[in-house]
Every structure is written in structure tokens, then in C-alpha cells.
Amino acid sequence: MEVALVGGTGKTGRAVEAALTAAGVETRSLGRAAFAALADALEGSDAVHLVAPNLHPDEPSYVRTVLDAAGAAGIGRVVYHSVASPYVPSMPHHLGKAVSEDLVRRSGLDWTILQPCAYVQNLLPALRSGELAVPYAIDKPFGLVDLDDVGEATAVVLTTPGHVGATYELGGPALVTTADVARAAGVPARRVDAEPDTHPWLRAMFDYYDDHGLPTGPLPLAALLGRTPTDVAEVLGRELGWQELPALRPGIG
């Protein structure tokens, strides 16, 4: 089996590639340069994993191009990497993924849609600076998920039967706040204003996070992995090289 990874050069694509390689699956990583002759670049693959670039200005068009190319190349299987809560009117880039999900469902291909929460790894640069400063409230709930778990779950849906026509929300094992993560890392947390040149879609996302966070449940990911998803403290320990893991005591249930 060979899986073409469209958007395979980013952090999500690399995590999926690593998980597929560990499962003995060949991969073909395709970046933006492949779009000049995408059907030719996909030729010979058995399935496509599709993740669009962050904040793509027209993700539905991007996804439609990939779906059309997959069909032209004779590929019948696609896994689309969407986002948790794609149907939120106040977050334009999430809505772009909702429209793209509809395209995937109507593509005629055998599809699976994955909707991961924000990755724990997204917070690592700030944690390494010694302070977790974020442009949204630090006391709202998130189902932060391990990127490696997302890669492993993606490999599962691509290599085992029973996932065609399924949509899976992927969240970590418990709801946590940004303040919880900071406590686990032993650094302070505070809310800061967004930079003046912040993309307006990101500003809209931060406003949403201020009010609601991004809560997700753990059960779909646990079922795919056959184990409890990796918790935040363990991810931090692995990524930051800690010899002993701190206790993570979430401030919310």
C-alpha cells in the first residue's frame, strides 16, 4: 500500500508519514509544487491523506482540486484532515473546512474525515520561552491532543477496515485550560493582546476561544488507538525531555 500525503511537508503531514512508516506503509509526500500536475503526482497511490495549508484563503478550492486529481488518477480513498468544531460561523477558516467536508462527502470517493482539536505541540515554543502567554483567556476548556496520537489514528483509518463514511472528532483524554498546561510545565500563564498584524481569521478564533475555548471529547480517539490518548503532561515530558513527569490536575472536569 502507498499513501499520497497532500500537504505532507507540514507538521501534520510529517506526523502522519511517521505513523504510516511505522505501520509498514509506503508514503509519497507532496507539497505545493506538485499541484502543477497533481493527477500525475498521485498516479499509482492507493489512498490520499489531505491537509490544507494553515489559513488557506480558499480551502474548498484547494480540496476540490485534490479530489478531482485523485479521481483522475484512479484513487478511490481519501482521508481529509479538518478541525474540531468546523461549523462555527464566527471562525471563517473553520467554516472553510466545513464547506470542504461537504465536498469530500459528495466526492464519490471512499472518505473519512478527521476533526482534531488543537495540538499540545502548538504551545511548546511559548513554554520553552519560560512563560505561556496566549492571546485568549487562560481559563477556558480545550481538548488538547497529542499530534503523534493524531498521526497514529490517521494511520489506523487508512490501513484498517470500517472507517469509510466516518467522521471522527479527535480530542485528548481530558479537558484542560491553558493555565493547567502552564502549571504542569512549571511556568506562569497570562493572557496578552494579539499582535497588531495578526491575521483577522486568527483574531476571530482568539475571540471565540475567549468565550468558549475548544472542548472536545476523548472517546473517538481512544477507540481508534485502542488506548487512552496521551495526556498533556506526558506529551510535555516527551517533547521537553523531562526525566520525571509532573502531575497534571486540570482545573476543570
Side-chain angles (χ1 to χ4, degrees), residues 48-75:
V48 173
H49 174 259
L50 167 57
V51 55
N54 286 339
L55 301 178
H56 192 283
D58 188 357
E59 185 156 342
S61 177
Y62 181 95
V63 169
R64 184 182 294 109
T65 296
V66 176
L67 295 173
D68 289 346
I75 298 173

Side-chain angles (χ1 to χ4, degrees), residues 107-237:
S107 66
L109 305 178
D110 291 339
W111 55 266
T112 305
I113 294 171
L114 302 178
Q115 299 174 331
C117 192
Y119 306 143
V120 179
Q121 284 83 347
N122 293 348
L123 299 177
L124 291 176
L127 290 172
R128 290 189 174 106
S129 76
E131 179 185 51
L132 188 47
V134 294
Y136 48 85
I138 64 173
D139 61 348
K140 299 299 181 181
F142 288 81
L144 294 176
V145 66
D146 179 15
L147 175 57
D148 288 357
D149 280 357
V150 173
E152 184 179 337
T154 305
V156 169
V157 303
L158 280 163
T159 59
T160 61
H163 304 290
V164 172
T167 300
Y168 297 122
E169 183 180 85
L170 306 180
L175 296 181
V176 296
T177 68
T178 302
D180 292 329
V181 177
R183 279 195 297 271
V187 302
R190 65 186 177 101
R191 188 196 187 285
V192 296
D193 292 335
E195 295 293 331
D197 60 348
T198 298
H199 194 292
W201 290 1
L202 288 180
R203 285 185 178 274
M205 183 182 74
F206 297 150
D207 288 344
Y208 184 85
Y209 285 0
D210 260 335
D211 293 332
H212 308 290
L214 193 65
T216 54
L219 294 184
L221 181 56
L224 291 172
L225 298 176
R227 59 173 172 81
T228 301
T230 309
D231 68 26
V232 169
E234 186 174 347
V235 177
L236 296 181

